[in-house]
Amino acid sequence: MSKRALITGITGQDGSYLAEHLLGQGYQVWGLIRGQANPRKSRVSRLVSDLSFVNGDLMDQASLVSAVDTVQPDEVYNLGAISFVPMSWQQAELVTEVNGMGVLRMLEAIRMVSGLNGSRTADGGQIRFYQASSSEMFGKVAETPQCETTIFRPRSPYGVAKIYGHFITRNYRESFGMYAVSGMLFNHESPRRGAEFVTRKISLAVARIKLGYQDKLSLGNLDAVRDWGFAGDYVRAMHLMLQQDEPGDYVIGTGQMHSVRDAVRIAFEHVGLDWEDYVSIDPSLVRPAEVEILCADADRARAKLGWEPGVDFPELMRMMVDSDLQQVSHEREYGDLLAGIW
């Protein structure tokens, strides 16, 4: 029989790539959604005929118990979260409820459905759980690059909430013998990234400027440095983590650092433009507490999982620009068509 996987956040960037990957591996894939009117369901529209959906909400314990009991999954991937870090200063309580307590609620749902009522060692038949941890937990970094043993010094409510999710996952592994792991994924992008994230904001603006629909691009800290990879590569690591004999936590990243300025330069050069003619700095876009440098030491993942990234950063930015050039062109054609009709 094929394995069953339940994915929270299936309509997000990572969820859509993971669903594709698991379907390719022969899984039955279920997505947890809050009602049928999810505005991002279009992200997985081309997969809908191969997917199943179950209602549930990371802020509602009973709904999660019902979802896990209905699906009876072999693997649960908890990717559901409020993932835009700047929002966590404006809505710290909500971000903590979803990104922190939501993890606990899902772990509790698995524990209850699995009948884990006291301390016990893991057995081969239990539900395996993946938690989406984050490089933002490292924050004001204690060392560079960052690995599994680097201490956490978060610089945002988002990072603090993710640390709770990370440690409660480890606690359930140690307390109940649950096969529960966390992937400390560094920044990963794609053409499916939300337009509020800086890489997609850049690629979309470059496309619109090149096609004559936008004049300028406003950004915050051009000197912020990140370890950026391709989301499609990173979901492979998530799956590999749940295939190991023993559960453990892993850092996932490329080990290569690039600045926001690098991203801007690569994107504009790809369409033959000089970025300095179009980019302005808006101080209001700078974070209250910036994370200056993030860089992954993914040696453990390479050694134990056999994982390697396949797409480098310049290729990623060019991929995103090409996708947005196509999208903006289609939107313009569609707008012209509607104008002609009306």
Side-chain angles (χ1 to χ4, degrees):
M1 289 182 62
S2 57
K3 287 184 177 179
R4 288 187 167 208
L6 173 61
I7 303 173
T8 74
I10 195 168
T11 59
Q13 168 190 254
D14 293 5
S16 65
Y17 280 109
L18 179 61
E20 287 177 356
H21 180 68
L22 294 179
L23 287 170
Q25 298 288 317
Y27 278 66
Q28 295 179 41
V29 179
W30 292 69
L32 186 84
I33 58 171
R34 291 186 299 161
Q36 297 302 311
N38 188 308
R40 290 186 171 178
K41 205 170 178 181
S42 60
R43 271 213 183 102
V44 291
S45 59
R46 64 197 172 285
L47 305 174
V48 163
S49 62
D50 298 315
L51 298 174
S52 299
F53 296 96
V54 62
N55 287 328
D57 187 335
L58 289 173
M59 296 178 68
D60 179 357
Q61 181 71 75
S63 75
L64 298 180
V65 174
S66 176
V68 173
D69 193 43
T70 297
V71 177
Q72 292 291 312
D74 298 287
E75 300 169 0
V76 173
Y77 295 86
N78 186 41
L79 311 185
I82 296 172
S83 56
F84 187 49
V85 176
M87 179 181 170
S88 70
W89 278 281
Q90 280 74 50
Q91 299 193 46
E93 183 178 356
L94 176 61
V95 169
T96 301
E97 275 291 329
V98 175
N99 296 8
M101 292 299 294
V103 185
L104 173 62
R105 294 184 189 107
M106 182 55 82
L107 287 165
E108 271 292 283
I110 293 170
R111 184 187 67 78
M112 286 187 271
V113 172
S114 302
L116 297 174
N117 296 316
S119 296
R120 54 176 282 185
T121 56
D123 60 58
Q126 69 172 220
I127 299 169
R128 296 189 170 198
F129 175 78
Y130 171 85
Q131 164 58 17
S133 287
S134 169
S135 60
E136 288 285 334
M137 300 187 306
F138 296 116
K140 191 174 178 64
V141 298
E143 61 182 355
T144 298
Q146 295 88 49
C147 66
E148 289 79 7
T149 57
T150 301
I151 64 171
F152 298 140
R153 299 171 65 180
R155 298 273 282 170
S156 65
Y158 172 91
V160 173
K162 280 290 186 179
I163 289 174
Y164 176 82
H166 182 84
F167 278 122
I168 200 65
T169 299
R170 180 181 297 178
N171 184 263
Y172 270 59
R173 181 169 74 220
E174 295 173 352
S175 299
F176 301 108
M178 188 180 289
Y179 193 109
V181 308
S182 291
M184 291 170 272
L185 272 57
F186 281 60
N187 292 67
H188 44 288
E189 319 297 314
S190 76
R192 300 177 196 173
R193 195 55 143 155
E196 68 271 24
F197 291 87
V198 67
T199 50
R200 182 73 197 293
K201 181 177 181 180
I202 292 167
S203 66
L204 189 56
V206 167
R208 291 181 60 81
I209 289 170
K210 179 63 177 179
L211 295 174
Y213 307 135
Q214 185 172 326
D215 297 323
K216 295 290 183 180
L217 167 62
S218 296
L219 294 171
N221 182 10
L222 295 183
D223 296 318
V225 174
R226 294 290 184 273
D227 179 337
W228 275 300
F230 173 50
D233 288 335
Y234 285 38
V235 300
R236 289 190 290 106
M238 298 176 189
H239 178 242
L240 286 168
M241 287 180 211
L242 293 191
Q243 312 315 307
Q244 306 307 302
D245 291 336
E246 298 294 329
D249 304 328
Y250 295 88
V251 161
I252 302 296
T254 70
Q256 302 294 317
M257 293 188 294
H258 293 89
S259 66
V260 174
R261 183 179 279 102
D262 292 333
V264 169
R265 176 183 53 78
I266 292 166
F268 275 95
E269 282 181 356
H270 185 52
V271 297
L273 298 176
D274 184 344
W275 70 270
E276 292 185 285
D277 293 335
Y278 301 96
V279 176
S280 60
I281 305 302
D282 182 351
S284 71
L285 298 176
V286 177
R287 293 183 182 185
E290 181 62 90
V291 175
E292 296 291 346
I293 297 176
L294 290 173
C295 183
D297 175 356
D299 285 351
R300 185 168 188 263
R302 288 184 171 89
K304 291 186 175 292
L305 304 180
W307 177 83
E308 290 281 353
V311 177
D312 67 18
F313 183 64
E315 183 182 355
L316 172 63
M317 288 305 304
R318 292 192 290 266
M319 175 200 306
M320 294 174 67
V321 170
D322 287 341
S323 174
D324 280 329
L325 283 168
Q326 187 175 44
Q327 177 180 312
V328 172
S329 295
H330 285 169
E331 287 174 353
R332 180 56 185 240
E333 290 170 6
Y334 183 67
D336 291 343
L337 176 63
L338 288 180
I341 293 172
W342 294 104

